Amino acid sequence: ILEGSGERIEADLFVDASGTQARLIGEALGVAFEDWSDVLPCSRQVSARCDEKQLGAPLTRVEAAAFGWMSRVPLQGSAACSYVYDPMLLDDESAAGALREWMGESTATPFTFGAAKSGRRVTPWQGNCVAIGAAAGFIEPLESTALHLTQSTIVRLLSLFPARVPDVEPREYNRLVGNELERARDLAIAHYATAQRTGGEFWRRRASA
């Protein structure tokens, strides 16, 4: 049922591509979310743009920070900078100040904030609703896996569609997507596990996780 209009829409299959909001699989169907914040606690992000007059190396720069990590992505004429951090240890104002300092910006820079917990839907194919991309699961973007995982879930859905045997294709989709999300999670965890950083509460927690 559409919000506001009250209109009811019926279909054989619904695809939830609403990102981390998971409007269908999560909000409408109530499929449980397996929270991975205990091992990947950086669920808050502050971002800003800065001028980049000279073209540099076409590489994303990622650097460890006191309460998470920062990245700088070169674009045409500018760079997109972000600080992904643990909101239990750092407030938004302090995070924005740290990012401004890292960027080397002395003037007031407009910031945008976002939040998303790492984790996955227990059954991303539930009934006649299939979640793809971040609606199925999200990993903090240390390795920028979101685009790959979106493409991968689309390919898996197409390979199993149409469902010919009740419950067989959904179970296989849930197994394959769950396994891939867990591998992506473990890859992100490996960055912390092998960092050998012990300075500050954040990194001490990560070393003992």
Side-chain angles (χ1 to χ4, degrees):
I1 299 177
L2 296 178
E3 294 181 3
S5 67
E7 180 183 357
R8 183 181 182 87
I9 297 179
E10 296 184 359
D12 294 329
L13 182 71
F14 290 91
V15 176
D16 189 342
S18 60
T20 56
Q21 291 183 336
R23 298 291 300 277
L24 296 180
I25 200 75
E27 293 182 9
L29 296 182
V31 172
F33 181 76
E34 185 177 305
D35 192 341
W36 293 337
S37 295
D38 57 333
V39 290
L40 292 173
C42 294
S43 59
R44 189 80 174 154
Q45 176 173 309
V46 56
S47 302
R49 292 284 186 93
C50 65
D51 292 334
E52 194 84 301
K53 296 180 180 180
Q54 293 184 341
L55 291 177
L59 303 171
T60 296
R61 172 188 171 192
V62 178
E63 183 177 310
F67 300 99
W69 51 273
M70 298 186 183
S71 66
R72 186 183 186 96
V73 182
L75 305 172
Q76 186 172 1
S78 65
C81 300
S82 298
Y83 186 1
V84 182
Y85 56 96
D86 183 349
M88 299 299 292
L89 299 175
L90 186 66
D91 62 82
D92 288 349
E93 184 177 354
S94 298
L99 179 61
R100 179 184 290 112
E101 182 179 355
W102 186 74
M103 292 168 59
E105 294 287 316
S106 57
T107 58
T109 303
F111 294 101
T112 58
F113 292 87
K117 290 183 177 181
S118 293
R120 71 178 184 92
R121 295 292 160 181
V122 175
T123 51
W125 187 334
Q126 180 70 30
N128 68 335
C129 178
V130 183
I132 64 171
F138 174 79
I139 312 295
E140 67 171 81
L142 185 55
E143 278 289 346
S144 298
T145 55
L147 184 59
H148 165 77
L149 291 172
T150 298
Q151 174 66 19
S152 178
T153 48
I154 292 172
V155 170
R156 296 192 191 287
L157 173 59
L158 293 177
S159 68
L160 295 168
F161 188 81
R164 295 180 175 83
V165 181
D167 296 333
V168 172
E169 284 83 358
R171 284 202 303 270
E172 181 65 359
Y173 181 85
N174 292 336
R175 184 185 71 83
L176 293 172
V177 171
N179 287 345
E180 184 165 36
L181 284 166
E182 289 173 359
R183 289 198 299 271
R185 173 203 62 192
D186 293 345
L187 176 62
I189 293 173
H191 288 74
Y192 294 111
T194 60
Q196 298 181 344
R197 299 176 66 91
T198 56
E201 183 177 0
F202 174 82
W203 290 100
R204 285 196 297 271
R205 290 185 181 185
R206 302 279 51 80
S208 60

